[in-house]
Amino acid sequence: MKCFPILAAPFGLIAFIIVVVLSTATTSFCTQECDSFVQCLFDYGSPNSNPIANVIYTPSNSSYSSILNFSIQNLRFLNKNISKPLAIITPSHVSHIQAAVICSKSHGFQIRTRSGGHDFEGLSYISGVPFVMVDLINLNSISIDVENQNAWVESGATLGELYYRIAEKSQTLAFPAGSCPTVGVGGHLSGGGYGWLIRKYGLAADHVIDAYLVDANGKVHNKESMGEDLFWAIRGGGGGCFGIVVAWKVKLVEVPARVTICEANRTLEEDRILKLIHEWQYVAPKLDANLLLGISLTGGKVTEDEEGKINPIASFSLMFLGKAEEVLTILKPTFPQLSLTKEDCLEMSWIQSVLLMGWFQKGDPLEVLLNRTRLYSEISKIKSDYVKEHIPLVALKGMWERLKSKDVELSQIMFVPYGGKMSEVDDSETPFSHRSDYSYLVGYIAKWKNGSVEAEERHLNWIREIYDYMTPFVSKSPRAAYVNYRDLDIGTNNKYGRTSYKRARVWGLKYFGKNFDKLVYVKTKVDPSDFFRHQQSIPTLSGISEESFSASL
Ligand SMILES: Cc1cc2nc3c(=O)[nH]c(=O)nc-3n(C[C@H](O)[C@H](O)[C@H](O)COP(=O)(O)OP(=O)(O)OC[C@H]3O[C@@H](n4cnc5c(N)ncnc54)[C@H](O)[C@@H]3O)c2cc1C
Ligand SMILES: *[C@@H]1O[C@H](CO)[C@@H](O)[C@H](O)[C@H]1NC(C)=O
Ligand SMILES: *[C@@H]1O[C@H](CO)[C@@H](O)[C@H](O)[C@H]1NC(C)=O
Ligand SMILES: *[C@@H]1O[C@H](CO)[C@@H](O)[C@H](O)[C@H]1NC(C)=O
Ligand SMILES: *[C@@H]1O[C@H](CO)[C@@H](O)[C@H](O)[C@H]1NC(C)=O
Ligand SMILES: *[C@@H]1O[C@H](CO)[C@@H](O)[C@H](O)[C@H]1NC(C)=O
Ligand SMILES: CC(=O)N[C@H]1CO[C@H](CO)[C@@H](O)[C@@H]1O
């Protein structure tokens, strides 16, 4: 139950060593054009108290490379020969973001916005064309209003910082977001965001009640001035498409003073494990909303024994908003096969559960949640699927066999049950449409540490093959996917020029279902020149009048 897309590998498995493979990376020295860009930033002006000069890094600044590297959370892109930003701006004031937008636009540069840097495809710091990176790392203040149960959070804050600040003020307030403390609020809320409270409270984005955003013209808006459509789009329509969200006002949620977490490692024979997983599908999405029972399967070389046999591990983890006794009472009649016992469970405060479900161990000070340093040191690739009802036993067997592949260092498959609050919210309420139709989410992950091309191909082949294999058993038309588990295999925009609606629809429907069309409509309205663009951003329509398009919605 560690810091990986919610359900992580059992304790101790991910003890990898950082392997730094040195490679000559392309350096884009500041050219004449770039000098003129920097001049533009100065000209645009900034308050005397926050001079913009203090937050501009061009490749000639000695800290440029460490700032760039610091939030590259996927080592797959740290050592790659990727083109680097012409300049990095680390705003300490909203006017710096406005200047970055206005000057990038006038110079024909793209912008990449980075909050926590966890994008699985590195979209917050990689671009095929000349670009400027706005790194919000310094905009991370948080103010908690206990009385009104809400908070203002700047985008550059991490989930760990938010959780820590809530716990400083209250033991019975929480925020329903992801389990990895280093994930950035900016990207996470932009794509939905979920964690252990999803069945009780839904998504992180469902709790956004106001926001400050800098639009494609460099104008600052709040909820009221940005209008309903844009406010709808930024709450799950995917980061980097609609503007730069500076800060979010979120509603906090109530949790009991004591919650329960349990972990049941079952080393049964294969057939019984597979049956247990099969039965889980009928039970977990229908359980009491206070209870989330997820599964994480781990395989690959890390589970190899002395005889060279791979022994995948099935770990059932749960979080319950209540006492241990109560959760045993609930599970006894509904899922006796799991034979969960009191010994598998621990009662603690919600913030302690955050620590244990994150990366840390009992006894670690809460301050570890404030540490933004990369927690894990692997290269990773993720894919996702949604399941409407259930996967047949034979397919679970095929999945399990694939976990035994020695081609992969560490493979993981997670099952995250929906139901509860998720099926109560209408699919069109926010851009995140995967709610009532699906009973659970599946995440596939491959992790490795060797930076060679050969290792990358081997791991990518593994994950693409299992994804192929699963085709008949998961959602179809569209084959749904989670935008925060960014996967460029499912389609990308053209590198240069416009991307057609038809092309973008291929992946757009997978991420957003019926809401994709509305996202395109909003994008066309608020950013017609497609300034906020990346490899998988929402496209604009041209040649179709807004009226006729909205009439077709
Ligand atoms: C180790 C790990 C654990 C994870 N665990 C979970 C989990 O438990 N639950 C879950 O739902 N997801 C999880 N994720 C996925 C995570 O939610 C997404 O990767 C999310 O987009 C990361 O946000 P970020 O700010 O850290 O990333 P970034 O890489 O900074 O940003 C991601 C995208 O959002 C854009 N963006 C960033 N900031 C802004 C902004 N202020 N305004 C507009 N656009 C912006 C970026 O340009 C980029 O396109 C996990 C990812 C990792 C790597
Ligand atoms: C579950 O299994 C893993 C791996 O074998 C082990 O490290 C962990 O301590 C186990 N957890 C529990 C609660 O037994
Ligand atoms: C890096 O990429 C650039 C152009 O994209 C290329 O000219 C250069 O040879 C590459 N360097 C290495 C070490 O691959
Ligand atoms: C950043 O990462 C690159 C690629 O691994 C490396 O060459 C460079 O030295 C790193 N910079 C710093 C300051 O660590
Ligand atoms: C933050 O975490 C990193 C990596 O785990 C560690 O090396 C560093 O000492 C920590 N910093 C602080 C201030 O605790
Ligand atoms: C990484 O993989 C390459 C190619 O398979 C191999 O030659 C190299 O020794 C490996 N490096 C490490 C550190 O294991
Ligand atoms: C943040 C910072 O120190 N930026 C500096 C980078 O280098 C330029 C040009 O030398 C300076 O003007 C910036 O102040």
Side-chain angles (χ1 to χ4, degrees), residues 10-13 263 265 313:
F11 300 82
L13 270 181
E263 188 181 38
N265 279 343
I313 299 165

Side-chain angles (χ1 to χ4, degrees), residues 2 96 104 264 392:
K2 282 213 189 125
H96 303 158
S104 299

